[in-house]
Amino acid sequence: MSGEPGDGTLAALGFAGAPLVEPLRYPGRVAEQPVLLSGGRLRPLRGFPVTGRVPVLAVGSNGSPAQLHHKLTGAGVTDTVPLAPVRVEGLAVALSGHVSRAGYVAATPYRAPGEAVALVLTWLTPEQLAVVDVSESVNYRRVALPPADFPVLLPDGTPTAQGGAQLYVSLRGVLTDPAGRPRPRGPQEAVLSALLADSARLRVLFGPTPRTWMAAVRDDPSLPARGTAVFRSEGWVRESGGLLDLLPPGQPADAGPSAGSEAPQPARSTAARHVPRR
């Protein structure tokens, strides 16, 4: 990062604000060039070893250094994570068919042959991956992308050294507009404004504006699940083009409890027990 101001802190570089804390910032400012996050600071990514780390694509706020810092340090795990912008072929990104506990409507990938999408690639240690898995466990499952079907390319067009990568796919499906087209990701205020304009039932639940939406969620923790139910009753949810078929055999791909409720979790590390789920 050339010409980085101040001491390289997230705030000094304009990356402050984790969406889990400030939901209208979703997805947060994501990494726009290869960087190393460490100790709440960013510096250019040069020669950092990724051996032993798992390459995981971020389609939403996990590409935001502020969100990663919040999740990892909140669980007592180091936030040292390399991030790099990449292009992934065979995928597109839309909104997920659920309202998160924090109130924002998050992103999800779906299969899109012939298309390509800009994402952020993170390299996570096993301990970091366990933390992020828990944070996504209610509404997402992590799958491994076959590199032949979903090439992951660096900005210069070369494939990543690992070839393939993993990513989180929503269990709640892809959110569509009334015409059946996948709703594109974008600034959260614009996303919520469009949803409210399209559904009287959402306006009854959340009020007329994105800010009343967030205030309502703060006051009533049941609203995310109820909003998720409205998405389905409006007929706005479709599946992700078979991405969940990439789950390992025996791993459940059902949505389980409604979005916004607590899903039973397997045994995990002490640190991972304190991760907020979204």
Side-chain angles (χ1 to χ4, degrees):
M1 286 161 49
S2 59
E4 60 186 48
D7 55 5
T9 63
L10 295 177
L13 294 170
F15 283 88
L20 280 169
V21 179
E22 302 177 55
L24 282 178
R25 286 183 179 264
Y26 183 91
R29 184 178 172 189
V30 302
E32 298 140 1
Q33 54 188 299
V35 293
L36 180 68
L37 168 67
S38 188
R41 291 174 166 79
L42 294 177
R43 67 172 189 263
L45 180 60
R46 298 192 186 103
F48 186 85
V50 296
T51 302
R53 290 176 175 258
V54 180
V56 182
L57 292 161
V59 302
S61 63
N62 288 335
S64 160
Q67 186 86 317
L68 282 176
H69 173 75
H70 177 76
K71 287 185 178 185
L72 296 172
T73 60
V77 173
T78 176
D79 71 346
T80 298
V81 177
L83 304 93
V86 294
R87 183 169 61 91
V88 185
E89 297 181 354
L91 288 181
V93 175
L95 300 180
S96 172
H98 78 283
V99 181
S100 73
R101 291 179 177 185
Y104 53 74
V105 178
T108 188
Y110 64 95
R111 190 187 295 267
E115 297 188 32
V117 65
L119 300 177
V120 174
L121 184 61
T122 65
W123 287 267
L124 304 177
T125 67
E127 187 176 26
Q128 291 169 336
L129 186 59
V131 170
V132 179
D133 275 350
V134 170
S135 77
E136 304 291 346
S137 61
V138 174
N139 293 303
Y140 292 83
R141 291 292 181 270
R142 176 166 49 89
V143 304
L145 295 178
D149 297 330
F150 304 97
V152 179
L153 306 176
L154 296 169
D156 63 4
T158 60
T160 60
Q162 293 94 340
Q166 302 184 19
L167 86 169
Y168 294 94
V169 180
S170 176
L171 296 171
R172 312 291 169 180
V174 173
L175 192 62
T176 68
D177 64 18
R181 297 168 299 212
R183 288 185 185 261
R185 56 183 174 171
Q188 192 65 191
E189 292 213 28
V191 164
L192 299 184
S193 293
L195 290 168
L196 290 167
D198 286 342
S199 173
R201 282 179 282 188
L202 290 177
R203 294 194 295 274
V204 169
L205 286 180
F206 298 108
T209 71
R211 295 194 178 277
T212 64
W213 178 303
M214 292 303 175
V217 170
R218 286 194 299 271
D219 292 341
D220 185 349
S222 76
L223 285 183
R226 293 164 65 190
T228 299
V230 169
F231 291 166
R232 290 202 168 271
S233 66
E234 294 280 12
W236 289 350
V237 180
R238 52 168 264 194
E239 57 92 30
S240 61
L243 287 180
L244 288 172
D245 294 341
L246 298 174
L247 281 168
Q251 184 170 343
D254 61 283
S258 62
S261 64
E262 187 74 29
Q265 297 300 318
R268 54 188 178 267
S269 70
T270 301
R273 296 192 187 107
H274 302 286
V275 182
R277 296 167 181 80
R278 64 186 186 92

